[in-house]
Amino acid sequence: DILKQASFDVLCLQEVEKTDVDSIVADLGPEYKSHYFKHPEKGRPPDGLLIAVKSSVCAAPSWSERDFKGKVIFGGVDFQHPCGARIRVITGHMRGRNQEQLDAFGAFAAEGTAQIEVITADFNEDFQERSAGTVPCPFDGKHVTLRRAPDLPQVSRPGNKQAQTPGQGLKIDYIWVRERTQDFQTELFFDEASRRAIIDSHKDCEATGEWPSDHGCEALSIRLRRKAWWQFWK
């Protein structure tokens, strides 16, 4: 219900059981096109990743995947946005504190001819430097992310899950964005749908008394602007 109410243009899901794929796709409805990326059998059976894109916004989606050492899969989609921008979105379920895997993930993100690159994942690692108030980028290139506003939840997982792996940090789900070319400018912000999805997914359900999932939703909006020719010369 949280995802359907938000009606995001792009959804990236991790830890999706293969047996749940059909019901998830059916619940999203015909306005979405979806693709499931199964982790290798010897890696993380029986789950995988799922990317869903709204057909009215994401034209001609092209799916791609990369196997990392026979253990996990990276999933990606390339599409054309109505503003004309070519966009690449990838997702993954990372091990945490594994630079080799991060490098491979970043290299997968950098493939293709997209003008805008979006990296999403459960990183199992907190990149924030809270004393400095910054979030250093773990990838090559000028990727940016959006720190949550003070009135939004500052963690990724409920208290019982957090207590099991305190060394991973407080926030381990991130969205990174990079402008690959000078054609388009991006602005990251929290619209009302993003804020509501974050808040609702970080609180207990009335029916179960627990969070809807063992991770809260990570969400933001990206405003795309085509740069004027004179801006190239600044």
Side-chain angles (χ1 to χ4, degrees), residues 66-78:
R66 288 293 178 274
D67 183 316
F68 178 72
K69 292 189 168 184
K71 297 180 179 179
V72 295
I73 205 78
F74 304 149
V77 61
D78 292 85

Side-chain angles (χ1 to χ4, degrees), residues 79 81-87 116 177 179 184-187 189 222-227:
F79 60 85
H81 189 270
C83 73
R86 298 188 305 275
I87 299 177
I116 305 296
V177 180
E179 302 167 11
F184 291 91
Q185 184 177 27
T186 59
E187 177 189 355
F189 64 102
I222 305 173
R223 184 174 289 116
L224 299 171
R225 294 191 181 94
R226 185 181 290 276
K227 291 184 179 179

Side-chain angles (χ1 to χ4, degrees), residues 42-222:
K42 63 180 180 179
R44 292 184 47 87
D47 70 328
L49 315 168
L50 188 141
I51 299 179
V53 298
K54 193 176 287 185
S55 300
S56 60
V57 178
C58 308
S62 175
W63 314 98
S64 59
E65 63 181 47
R66 288 293 178 274
D67 183 316
F68 178 72
K69 292 189 168 184
K71 297 180 179 179
V72 295
I73 205 78
F74 304 149
V77 61
D78 292 85
F79 60 85
Q80 181 111 6
H81 189 270
C83 73
R86 298 188 305 275
I87 299 177
R88 178 169 175 79
V89 179
I90 73 162
T91 195
H93 190 175
M94 313 303 285
R95 186 176 182 86
R97 305 187 188 283
N98 185 325
Q99 191 60 50
E100 182 183 10
Q101 189 182 50
L102 280 175
D103 290 343
F105 194 49
F108 176 59
E111 293 179 1
T113 61
Q115 294 157 306
I116 305 296
E117 176 184 310
V118 182
I119 301 176
T120 75
D122 170 1
F123 286 96
N124 277 309
E125 180 177 354
D126 192 344
F127 300 114
Q128 297 185 93
E129 293 183 351
R130 287 177 172 78
S131 60
T134 59
V135 188
C137 177
F139 305 105
D140 291 334
K142 296 182 179 180
H143 298 79
V144 296
T145 190
L146 186 61
R147 297 187 69 203
R148 286 187 184 165
D151 62 331
L152 291 175
Q154 301 297 308
V155 299
S156 292
R157 299 166 296 178
N160 63 327
K161 184 77 172 180
Q162 182 67 35
Q164 296 174 13
T165 54
Q168 291 180 345
L170 297 177
K171 187 174 181 297
I172 58 177
D173 301 312
Y174 289 91
I175 300 172
W176 298 91
V177 180
R178 176 167 76 106
E179 302 167 11
R180 288 192 190 174
T181 71
Q182 294 185 331
D183 301 312
F184 291 91
Q185 184 177 27
T186 59
E187 177 189 355
L188 278 57
F189 64 102
F190 294 116
D191 66 354
E192 186 55 38
S194 299
R195 290 178 58 86
R196 178 49 52 194
I198 293 172
I199 292 171
D200 288 347
S201 65
H202 284 73
K203 65 182 182 182
D204 295 341
C205 301
E206 291 184 7
T208 64
E210 299 179 347
W211 285 22
S213 174
D214 65 349
H215 283 245
C217 175
E218 180 67 8
L220 55 77
S221 291
I222 305 173

Side-chain angles (χ1 to χ4, degrees), residues 7-27:
S7 189
F8 293 122
D9 294 335
V10 180
L11 295 170
C12 296
L13 308 180
Q14 300 84 35
E15 296 188 70
V16 178
E17 302 291 333
K18 191 173 182 179
T19 54
D20 293 334
V21 172
D22 289 344
S23 62
I24 292 173
V25 172
D27 286 344

